[in-house]
Amino acid sequence: KEKEKRVAEKGRKNVLVKPARIIEGMKSVRIGLVQNASSVELKLSTDYSINAKRGGALVGQGAAGQICTVSVSPEGTLRCRLASYDIAADGPVVIRLADESGTCTIFGISAGKDNFWQNRSDRSYRGRIEISVADRKIKIINELSLEEYLYSVVPSEMLAKWPLEALKAQAVAARSEAMSKLGRHKADGYDFCPEVHCQS
């Protein structure tokens, strides 16, 4: 019954957002979401394509609301299992949404590492999702504009119902913090981790 309940919950998660106004020359950032998973389940809220990171060749396509299970094959390559077929990729892939209002929900993602409030939850992300294999483990990076990054950081640090001027000040502080820490995890292939070490 618990498994049936969990499947039903996944079926309901189809998060859409208002697309951000992207200004030419706006800085983009890379967030390391998952580092050492053996498998991960994703759900995209719009149709999407899976492209090779190098060269951009189309590897596969998926439909809105479809669960995609990402794992490592016995040969150590990336495997994406969709409803009707499997996709195998030798190198990193990038998931691109067909609609800017779409998001990627990652199920059971870890949050609050080494804190008393550490937990697992389903989280939805804007932007591009890059998936690769490192040491036979799944690595997921979210690439998005700095402003879209702040859409998530500010309400993670303060409640949305707090006074508007306080939220504005938090947005300025969070943007300044991000700019000062840009490239903090460069050796890992991304700018920030999603923990309090960088910004929540």
Side-chain angles (χ1 to χ4, degrees):
K1 286 190 175 188
E2 282 298 315
K3 187 176 181 182
E4 288 173 7
K5 181 180 170 185
R6 187 78 180 129
V7 168
E9 283 177 10
K10 287 180 183 177
R12 286 193 296 273
K13 294 192 187 265
N14 202 36
V15 181
L16 296 171
V17 294
K18 182 179 178 183
R21 195 175 64 122
I22 305 300
I23 300 164
E24 190 177 327
M26 184 181 292
K27 182 73 183 154
S28 66
V29 294
R30 291 168 55 84
I31 320 300
L33 302 177
V34 175
Q35 299 310 312
N36 294 303
S38 53
S39 71
V40 179
E41 283 189 313
L42 314 169
K43 182 176 181 182
L44 291 298
S45 58
T46 66
D47 291 348
Y48 59 96
S49 65
I50 301 173
N51 300 81
K53 182 181 178 186
R54 289 185 275 285
L58 183 67
V59 177
Q61 293 179 306
Q66 191 177 55
I67 303 270
C68 174
T69 304
V70 180
S71 60
V72 181
S73 73
E75 298 79 31
T77 59
L78 193 63
R79 180 180 171 198
C80 302
R81 189 163 25 109
L82 303 173
S84 55
Y85 65 100
D86 285 3
I87 297 167
D90 290 333
V93 297
V94 175
I95 295 178
R96 289 189 171 89
L97 296 159
D99 186 337
E100 290 180 359
S101 66
T103 61
C104 174
T105 299
I106 302 177
F107 296 104
I109 198 166
S110 179
K113 183 182 176 188
D114 300 330
N115 289 287
F116 72 90
W117 44 271
Q118 181 174 339
N119 64 21
R120 289 192 164 281
S121 60
D122 303 338
R123 297 190 173 207
S124 299
Y125 300 94
R126 298 168 178 261
R128 294 184 342 162
I129 299 293
E130 180 184 308
I131 307 172
S132 60
V133 174
D135 298 322
R136 301 186 75 84
K137 295 289 184 181
I138 303 293
K139 182 176 182 178
I140 300 180
I141 295 172
N142 179 210
E143 186 174 341
L144 70 170
S145 72
L146 178 61
E147 295 306 307
E148 290 174 297
Y149 168 71
L150 293 174
Y151 292 167
S152 179
V153 169
V154 173
S156 295
E157 303 282 358
M158 294 178 79
L159 297 176
K161 65 182 179 182
W162 283 18
L164 180 60
E165 293 305 315
L167 291 167
K168 287 179 182 178
Q170 179 64 30
V172 171
R175 187 181 289 105
S176 300
E177 179 91 354
M179 292 304 291
S180 71
K181 290 180 177 177
L182 202 60
R184 189 176 214 189
H185 288 274
K186 187 176 182 180
D188 301 314
Y190 49 90
D191 294 305
F192 310 123
C193 67
E195 304 289 347
V196 293
H197 175 255
C198 290
Q199 285 193 98
S200 188

